[in-house]
């Protein structure tokens, strides 16, 4: 992300997260920041577990006797809860020091990969409903495989934000 | 490097100074790669365990029997466990000389032992009858084990994160 | 059920009864409001994961010498920024800009290291949850 002399509206908005009460609090409290990071990881377990099991079901690796559409529907609430926890904790983590993320070349790619992952996951649901149509079955499997790879990519880029 | 006045227990020193631990500790790519696999392991292992536990508690996947959920997902959990054991073992060995007295590391190892015992006991007893659990709900001992499992694994993740800060 | 409780209770007791000599912390936490510049002679280097450590002998105005540890990023991150182990040797004079530890110990978070050849490299440990790098850019103009 470029540093320009006159920051864009978006840049100001992003950086202003650091001026919020909670942002300042987290910046000053190691234990609280670590707690939010921990929440981010627990959210990852829920989101990752739900997404992975849904996708593996479509790929006929697990729950081979079940209708994938029903498994997908049954795990959707858990996936949403996991995703919500990650988004909320993620915004909190940024608010503790937005400049660090604004300057990090991996942060933009992570958010882009996250967008792709969410789109792929949500695209899966209406298509997998037509499990009796061969074309839909094939397309579902392709999306499910891609979904797993994209979610893993989001997680890996996320980890590497802190390693470069 | 050992600070003056600090003595590392001999068995830790053997691990810390081993060729594998030293390579990992001084590496440019291996250590971060292990850290990456350790996070993916959370997704695989804790994620799948959470779903099995939530099913035993009757919260999720109610259309499938607990037996089927367990049978389908336990292999995923095992893959996750192997990833965690190998990556975690290597990460620990590489840093052992510096973190062996870290309270969060010690608590985490204790919790891991606790979690492992919970799994072993559960599989040796309550889980054996899983095929005959009533449709309305799992036996109380199974639910207790499931709650314990969720709490302990969450605590493992949290204490693991805190190691880096103290 | 009783057997389970007994065995698990023993395991839990064993885990918290372990000795906890916490006087040496693995990663000290730093104070964003206490920046500092250290100039000193490099006495030893730990080019290790997850953090590197540069030990400096700092001489004050009265000639008293104290040893400070400067914590930096791991080998991978340092190398990606163009900083390699061979760029420094024991005996070199380094200038390290960083932040003091909240604990008050003689350890700083090394945000910027000026090498003997005059080059400046970022030593900072990214994503460590510590204070943001306020020195990275000037205050932004009000829109």
């Amino acid at each position: 992300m470029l540093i320009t002399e006159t920051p864009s509206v978006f840049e100001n908005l992003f950086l202003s997260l650091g001026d919020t009460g909670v942002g300042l609090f987290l910046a000053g409290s190691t234990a609280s920041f670590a707690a939010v990071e921990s929440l981010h990881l627990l959210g990852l377990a829920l989101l990752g577990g739900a997404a992975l099991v849904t996708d593996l079901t479509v790929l006929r690796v697990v729950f081979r006797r079940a209708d994938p559409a029903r498994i997908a529907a049954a795990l959707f609430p858990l996936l949403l809860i996991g995703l919500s926890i990650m988004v909320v904790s993620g915004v909190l983590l940024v608010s503790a020091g937005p400049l660090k993320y604004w300057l990090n070349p991996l942060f933009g790619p992570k958010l882009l990969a996250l967008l792709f992952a969410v789109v792929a996951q949500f695209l899966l649901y209406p298509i997998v409903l037509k499990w009796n149509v061969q074309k839909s079955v094939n397309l579902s499997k392709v999306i499910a495989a891609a979904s797993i790879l994209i979610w893993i990519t989001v997680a890996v880029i996320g980890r590497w934000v802190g390693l470069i | 490097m050992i600070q003056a006045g600090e003595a590392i227990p001999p068995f830790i020193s053997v691990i810390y100074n081993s060729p594998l631990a030293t390579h990992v500790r001084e590496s440019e790519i291996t250590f971060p790669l292990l850290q990456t696999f350790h996070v993916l392991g959370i997704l695989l292992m804790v994620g799948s365990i959470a779903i099995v536990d939530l099913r035993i508690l009757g919260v999720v996947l109610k259309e499938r029997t607990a037996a089927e959920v367990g049978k389908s997902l336990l292999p995923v959990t095992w893959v996750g466990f192997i990833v965690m054991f190998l990556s975690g073992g290597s990460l620990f060995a590489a840093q052992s000389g510096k973190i062996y007295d870290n309270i969060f590391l010690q608590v985490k190892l204790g919790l891991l032992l606790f979690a492992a015992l919970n799994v072993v006991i559960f599989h040796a007893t309550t889980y054996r009858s899983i095929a005959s659990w009533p449709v309305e709900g799992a036996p109380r001992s199974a639910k207790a084990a499931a709650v314990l499992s969720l709490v302990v694994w969450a605590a493992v993740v949290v204490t693991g994160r805190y190691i880096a800060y103290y | 059920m009783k057997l389970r409780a007994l065995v698990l209770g023993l395991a839990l007791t064993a885990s918290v009864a372990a000795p906890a000599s916490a006087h040496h912390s693995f990663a000290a936490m730093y104070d964003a409001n206490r920046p500092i510049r250290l100039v000193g002679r490099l006495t030893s280097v730990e080019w290790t994961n997850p953090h590197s450590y540069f030990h400096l002998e700092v001489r004050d105005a009265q000639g008293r010498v104290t040893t400070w540890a400067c914590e930096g990023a791991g080998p991978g991150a340092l190398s990606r920024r163009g900083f390699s182990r061979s760029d420094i040797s024991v005996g070199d004079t380094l200038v390290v800009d960083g932040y003091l530890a909240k604990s008050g110990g003689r350890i700083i978070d090394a945000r910027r290291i000026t090498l003997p050849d005059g080059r400046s490299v970022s030593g900072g440990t990214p994503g460590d949850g510590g204070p943001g790098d306020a020195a990275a850019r000037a205050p932004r103009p009000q829109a």
Side-chain angles (χ1 to χ4, degrees):
Chain A
M1 290 172 171
L2 286 175
I3 304 168
T4 53
E5 276 311 312
T6 43
S8 66
V9 170
F10 179 63
E11 180 179 349
N12 273 330
L13 203 66
F14 189 87
L15 295 177
S16 71
L17 280 173
D19 303 324
T20 58
V22 70
L24 293 168
F25 171 70
L26 288 175
S29 167
T30 304
S32 304
F33 186 87
V36 178
E37 280 190 314
S38 301
L39 258 181
H40 204 61
L41 289 173
L42 292 175
L44 180 130
L46 287 181
L47 168 64
L52 184 68
V53 174
T54 299
D55 295 340
L56 287 179
T57 303
V58 172
L59 290 167
R60 316 321 279 130
V61 175
V62 297
F63 291 118
R64 286 193 286 247
R65 289 185 307 174
D67 175 1
R70 298 188 80 91
I71 299 285
L75 288 175
F76 187 66
L78 194 65
L79 190 139
L80 271 189
I81 290 172
L83 184 61
S84 307
I85 294 175
M86 291 208 83
V87 169
V88 170
S89 59
V91 172
L92 287 175
L93 291 174
V94 169
S95 74
L99 189 61
K100 205 163 59 210
Y101 299 97
W102 185 258
L103 296 176
N104 193 306
L106 286 183
F107 194 63
K110 175 184 172 168
L111 295 184
L112 192 62
L114 175 61
L115 180 65
F116 286 159
V118 169
V119 166
Q121 194 69 48
F122 279 59
L123 216 60
L124 181 61
Y125 297 111
I127 297 175
V128 79
L129 276 175
K130 302 204 217 82
W131 195 251
N132 51 344
V133 176
Q134 190 56 46
K135 261 198 187 158
S136 299
V137 170
N138 297 339
L139 187 56
S140 301
K141 289 184 180 180
V142 168
I143 296 177
S147 166
I148 292 178
L149 289 174
I150 304 175
W151 281 121
I152 289 176
T153 302
V154 178
V156 171
I157 300 180
R159 174 64 272 216
W160 278 79
V161 162
L163 291 176
I164 56 165
Chain B
M1 183 163 149
I2 305 160
Q3 307 280 42
E6 268 185 42
I8 300 181
F11 81 97
I12 295 281
S13 180
V14 167
I15 294 170
Y16 187 64
N17 292 304
S18 67
L20 171 71
T22 305
H23 161 75
V24 171
R25 183 169 56 251
E26 297 176 353
S27 63
E28 288 189 5
I29 302 275
T30 311
F31 191 93
L33 210 58
L34 288 169
Q35 289 176 301
T36 307
F37 275 109
H38 211 61
V39 168
L40 292 176
I42 293 180
L43 194 158
L44 271 175
M45 188 183 75
V46 182
S48 56
I49 288 178
I51 292 177
V52 174
D53 289 337
L54 288 173
R55 174 56 191 86
I56 291 174
L57 292 169
V59 171
V60 86
L61 287 178
K62 290 177 286 250
E63 277 183 16
R64 321 308 305 175
T65 61
E68 185 188 358
V69 175
K71 187 152 174 277
S72 243
L73 295 186
L74 252 34
V76 178
T77 305
W78 271 108
V79 172
F81 176 73
I82 291 170
V83 170
M84 289 313 248
F85 184 75
L86 292 177
S87 59
S90 309
L91 288 169
F92 171 71
Q95 303 171 84
S96 47
K98 292 205 165 173
I99 62 173
Y100 72 94
D101 58 352
N102 181 297
I103 184 67
F104 289 99
L105 184 272
Q106 293 175 347
V107 172
K108 179 177 176 176
L109 290 180
L111 287 170
L112 280 172
L113 179 64
F114 199 82
L117 281 171
N118 190 35
V119 167
V120 167
I121 294 174
F122 179 63
H123 277 263
T125 58
T126 319
Y127 191 72
R128 284 176 160 208
S129 64
I130 193 169
S132 58
W133 289 353
V135 170
E136 309 84 58
R140 256 190 14 161
S141 60
K143 289 192 172 180
V147 170
L148 205 56
S149 167
L150 283 171
V151 169
V152 173
W153 284 115
V156 167
V157 170
V158 175
T159 49
R161 180 72 284 229
Y162 271 76
I163 294 173
Y165 291 99
Y166 292 96
Chain C
M1 193 61 190
K2 258 193 179 168
L3 171 66
R4 175 203 304 274
L6 179 65
V7 173
L8 294 179
L10 280 174
L12 195 58
T13 312
S15 68
V16 294
S21 51
H23 65 280
H24 175 68
S25 60
F26 176 68
M29 286 298 98
Y30 307 99
D31 190 342
N33 299 314
R34 301 171 65 204
I36 188 171
R37 163 166 285 196
L38 292 179
V39 182
R41 193 182 76 94
L42 188 66
T43 58
S44 64
V45 179
E46 294 173 75
W47 198 260
T48 54
N49 285 295
H51 299 290
S52 54
Y53 293 93
F54 309 91
H55 299 271
L56 297 185
E57 226 172 46
V58 178
R59 196 170 290 272
D60 71 7
Q62 283 75 37
R64 282 182 308 235
V65 166
T66 49
T67 309
W68 286 74
C70 308
E71 181 181 275
L78 293 179
S79 128
R80 273 186 288 279
R81 298 172 198 161
F83 182 13
S84 74
R85 176 66 184 87
S86 55
D87 288 339
I88 49 173
S89 318
V90 168
D92 286 346
T93 298
L94 296 184
V95 178
V96 183
D97 295 306
Y99 295 92
L100 288 166
K102 286 175 184 169
S103 66
R106 282 202 294 270
I107 179 167
I108 68 169
D109 178 41
R111 288 242 87 94
R112 185 147 235 92
I113 300 170
T114 305
L115 305 177
D117 62 12
R119 257 196 313 148
S120 254
V121 290
S122 167
T125 310
D128 59 1
D133 191 358
R137 62 179 260 169
R140 55 191 193 276
Q142 296 308 307

